[in-house]
Amino acid sequence: MVASKARQRLSNEHAWLITGPLAGFALVSAIFLALGTRTNFGDWPVALLLLAVTVIAGIPTLSFVVRRQAVVVTLTEIPLVLSLYRLSPLLVVLVATTAALITQVHRRYASPKRWFNVAKSAADVSVAAFVVVALSAISGVGPATWGVLSAAVAAHTVMGLVAVVGVITLLQGWQGGRETARTALQVLLTAVVNVTIGLVILIALATTPWSAILLLALTLAGVMLYRSYAQFLRQHRTLGDMYELTRVMGEGGDEGHLADILLGRIRALMQAEYATLWLPAQGRHPEVLLTARLDDKGLLDVAVTPAELREQARERGRLVAVGRAFGDAPEFRGELGRGHVKDLIIVPLRSGPVVIGTLEVVNRLSDVGRFTPADLPVFETVAAHAAVALENSRLVDRLRHDAYHDGLTKLPNRRRITGALAEAVKIRAPGEVVAVLLFDVDELRQVNESLGHAAGDKVLAEMAARLRASAPSSALVGRTGGDEFLVTLRLESAEAALELAGQLRGQIRGEMAFDAITLDVDTAVGVVVHPDHGSDAATLLQRVDLAANAAKSVPGSVQLFNPALESRSLRRLGLAGDLRRALDEGKLQVYFQPKVTLRDRRLVGVECLARWEHPTHGVVAPEDFVAVAEHTGQLGRLTDVVLREGLRRSREWESAEQPLSVAVNLSARTLTDRDFPDRVRELLTEYAVPPQRLTFEIREAGVLDGTDRPIPTLRRLRDLGVRLSVDDFGTGSSSLAYLRRLPVHEVKVDRSFVQGMATDPGDLAIVNAVVTLSQQFGLAVVAEGVESELTLELLQDIGCEIGQGFLFSRPLPYERLEAWFRAQVDPESVAAGELPRLRVVP
């Protein structure tokens, strides 16, 4: 923060504008007093004595620093009372003026201030002399004399105050004059005390000259008490200032606002021209260098002291002081001179054993003021409080930052994004939409389970970096939790949001290496826009999550929200309890779809498929209730129902001399269950079914996830003798080379390629390649979705062995499957003990 331009301050040389008139007034007054009153030069011994007393009394015992000047209160009123009583008016002026000159030379004031004080002293004593002359000649030491002398000293004091206020106002501005005027009461009270003491001394001396001995002793005691009082007053003021400083530091708030409060008050407390705070860069906090200067209302971002001195204090962890009372710094003398630095104190700021920065004050105010060793403990105490306040401020800032940012990726978290999105939807310009894009990282759970959470964290950090680098500069990029990242920004339309989502998805996808394994990390993207898809942040975030889930199963993996997604989600939510009851009551059915050899059309087995007819919603799609089962922990029970039914029917067909294998679909999540192979062994034993009659089908995305996570479970199932099949092959991004490493027996070509091979040469080429390479690897190939004779002939030509599809039969419940057997199977083939041959093809 840079301070605004301050009012131009006049130099001390301009004090002659006040000094000249004062000197002229004093000179004219002296002439009038010399001509208008009788001067007794025979009193010169007394005059010399009073001159000595006045010089001694002129030693300052109490001072007030007003901006760059010091207002000094002395005991000169006491000898002034004696001089006005004992000497003629002209001698009084000469004695006071001479004493002022001697005192100013002793104090080594600069020339402008020295001559101002001499002229002021001559002028105000002249006023006092005029008052004495005007009121009447002094006679005796009675009350009349008290009144005359008190009036004279009062005029002397007021004249001096007016002169001081005038010169400080001239040099420092109206604010400095106002601050000086505030000391008037203390100055006047001091003058009253001094006049009283002077009158008491006068009465005592008039009574008997021997009282001088007692008065001398009393004077010495009074001086000591006076100095003690002055010291007590300074300490009291310092303690009061420190209390106020610590109080406002506690209420300072954030670091930037705290610096404003801190530096100004420290500068005033230490009566310094500059106060500087330096905090080196630390973590996410940049370097801070701020300076409060007397003449500026704001803070400067520069300092007058060499940076090496601050570094020295920080590295050594010790206070650095330069000045008349502490010694010089020869190596920095040139730089300090150029910065007009006469003295300075630099104190390290500590947080425990660590030095977090420095605090410094430069140039004690007033012409003759200097920092002293007594200032060091005060400043160190202030620095200790300041360090605590700054650390607390940074801690609060860090807690506030952590509350709104993700610890791993440093991106804004859901709370921060929700707040920003809530503000964004309140202000929408015409022709714009507020777009929300949710990127869901694929298969992060498998990475965590197989490679560890450190690898998962690496994936998230890398995806965050890619997304932050690829997103437009106007976008807010955040992590909403788990494997989800969110981007929100203003765009022209929903179409523009979809286009941006596709571009970002393409830019952030790519390979990531983990030791010897390389993963191809991809995302599914959901898109919503305000106001089309919601009027508040909560609704938009809910619906973009639905769109992202739906994007996992659509081509291109980018999905714009539509109301059907919400209806489906709500329907799934309502199905959770109904599915549990259906499993408890045995309401789920198992359908069977035949698998047939394509060359000779022999029935080799059936695929077991779960079906559920809801009493209210009707037939529920398998992907819906399987998803519900996965999210509600009922997947194991669902798999158990299908597996038991398949094994029971397989045993019955074995008993009826129709040995058919059964295939059961497994979810990828089931492969993470270490107890599943043991459960399969128990069921095979319970139903007395040979293991080779059971085939488990796992979707390509589950078994070929780019990691070795499913391999242990697959090997244990293979060791049982169970056959393993990769379902929907071709829809994922894995290769046959990787498939060769897995303990599987069979590949099922996805129906989307099989159904298109009769009309699309590309699909035909894919199916041909899969069949050829799978056979070279010793894997059986099953074609799904065989629905026409032409497709059947093409599959036969390329050497595919087994097929299933509507050409042979739809999935059928057991009773209808038995009827299909009777209608389609050639009885002679069964009697001969061969695999049942289909008699006709519908």
Side-chain angles (χ1 to χ4, degrees), residues 52-367:
V53 173
T54 303
V55 170
I56 295 171
I59 298 174
T61 57
L62 192 61
S63 64
F64 304 94
V65 176
V66 180
R67 300 178 69 80
R68 297 177 185 273
Q69 306 298 330
V71 179
V72 178
V73 178
T74 65
L75 301 176
T76 53
E77 289 87 355
I78 297 175
L80 178 60
V81 169
L82 300 178
S83 297
L84 290 172
Y85 177 82
R86 183 66 181 81
L87 300 178
S88 56
L90 181 60
L91 284 179
V92 172
V93 174
L94 293 175
V95 166
T97 303
T98 305
L101 179 61
I102 294 172
T103 304
Q104 300 306 308
V105 171
H106 172 73
R107 291 173 182 165
R108 298 181 182 178
Y109 280 163
S111 180
K113 188 167 186 176
R114 177 194 310 144
W115 293 115
F116 166 78
N117 286 331
V118 171
K120 178 186 73 70
S121 179
D124 53 32
V125 171
S126 297
V127 170
F130 274 124
V131 170
V132 172
V133 172
L135 290 180
S136 65
I138 295 175
S139 177
V141 290
T145 300
W146 302 351
V148 172
L149 294 178
S150 296
V153 174
H156 163 274
T157 304
V158 171
M159 180 64 183
L161 274 173
V162 170
V164 171
V165 170
V167 76
I168 290 183
T169 302
L170 174 68
L171 301 181
Q172 305 294 339
W174 64 269
Q175 186 175 0
R178 185 176 62 181
E179 292 179 17
T180 307
R182 290 175 181 171
T183 65
L185 180 61
Q186 291 170 300
V187 173
L188 290 172
L189 288 176
T190 303
V192 170
V193 172
N194 290 342
V195 168
T196 304
I197 295 173
L199 291 173
V200 170
I201 294 173
L202 179 61
I203 294 170
L205 291 175
T207 303
T208 173
W210 291 103
S211 62
I213 299 174
L214 298 177
L215 290 174
L216 179 61
L218 184 62
T219 299
L220 293 175
V223 169
M224 294 177 62
L225 289 174
Y226 206 81
R227 294 177 65 87
S228 297
Y229 167 74
Q231 183 179 5
F232 168 76
L233 187 62
R234 286 193 296 269
Q235 292 175 347
H236 176 74
R237 183 182 61 196
T238 301
L239 288 175
D241 289 345
M242 288 188 63
Y243 168 76
E244 185 66 17
L245 176 64
T246 54
R247 185 186 65 80
V248 297
M249 280 195 296
E251 302 171 355
D254 59 79
E255 184 177 310
H257 185 51
L258 180 61
D260 286 332
I261 299 172
L262 184 70
L263 292 176
R265 290 183 177 269
I266 288 178
R267 189 205 59 73
L269 172 65
M270 298 302 296
Q271 297 181 3
E273 183 178 3
Y274 299 92
T276 299
L277 171 68
W278 176 57
L279 300 173
Q282 180 183 7
R284 65 181 187 84
H285 296 282
E287 182 184 21
V288 174
L289 180 63
L290 295 172
T291 298
R293 189 172 68 177
L294 176 63
D295 293 321
D296 294 292
K297 294 182 180 179
L299 298 182
L300 305 171
D301 54 5
V302 295
V304 296
T305 52
E308 292 81 358
L309 279 174
R310 289 189 293 275
E311 286 286 356
Q312 187 180 107
R314 177 191 169 202
E315 291 173 2
R316 297 179 180 178
R318 296 198 306 268
L319 177 146
V320 173
V322 176
R324 181 184 299 174
F326 312 111
D328 201 357
E331 65 274 26
F332 300 109
R333 186 175 298 150
E335 292 184 70
L336 294 175
R338 286 190 294 272
H340 302 287
V341 176
K342 65 179 181 179
D343 55 355
L344 64 89
I345 304 174
I346 304 177
V347 177
L349 298 174
R350 296 182 179 276
S351 175
V354 179
V355 177
I356 62 172
T358 62
L359 189 65
E360 64 186 76
V361 287
V362 177
N363 290 353
R364 189 65 175 267
L365 293 177
S366 84
D367 294 340

Side-chain angles (χ1 to χ4, degrees), residues 750-759 763 784-787 791:
D750 186 69
R751 70 180 67 251
S752 62
F753 301 111
V754 175
Q755 291 174 347
M757 62 186 295
T759 56
D763 288 344
E784 296 182 294
V786 182
E787 298 182 358
T791 302

Side-chain angles (χ1 to χ4, degrees), residues 749-773 781 783 790-800:
V749 185
D750 186 69
R751 70 180 67 251
S752 62
F753 301 111
V754 175
Q755 291 174 347
M757 62 186 295
T759 56
D760 188 340
D763 288 344
L764 177 61
I766 291 174
V767 176
N768 188 19
V770 172
V771 171
T772 302
L773 290 175
V781 181
L790 179 57
T791 302
L792 177 61
E793 292 176 2
L794 292 172
L795 288 170
Q796 289 174 339
D797 292 341
I798 64 178
C800 185

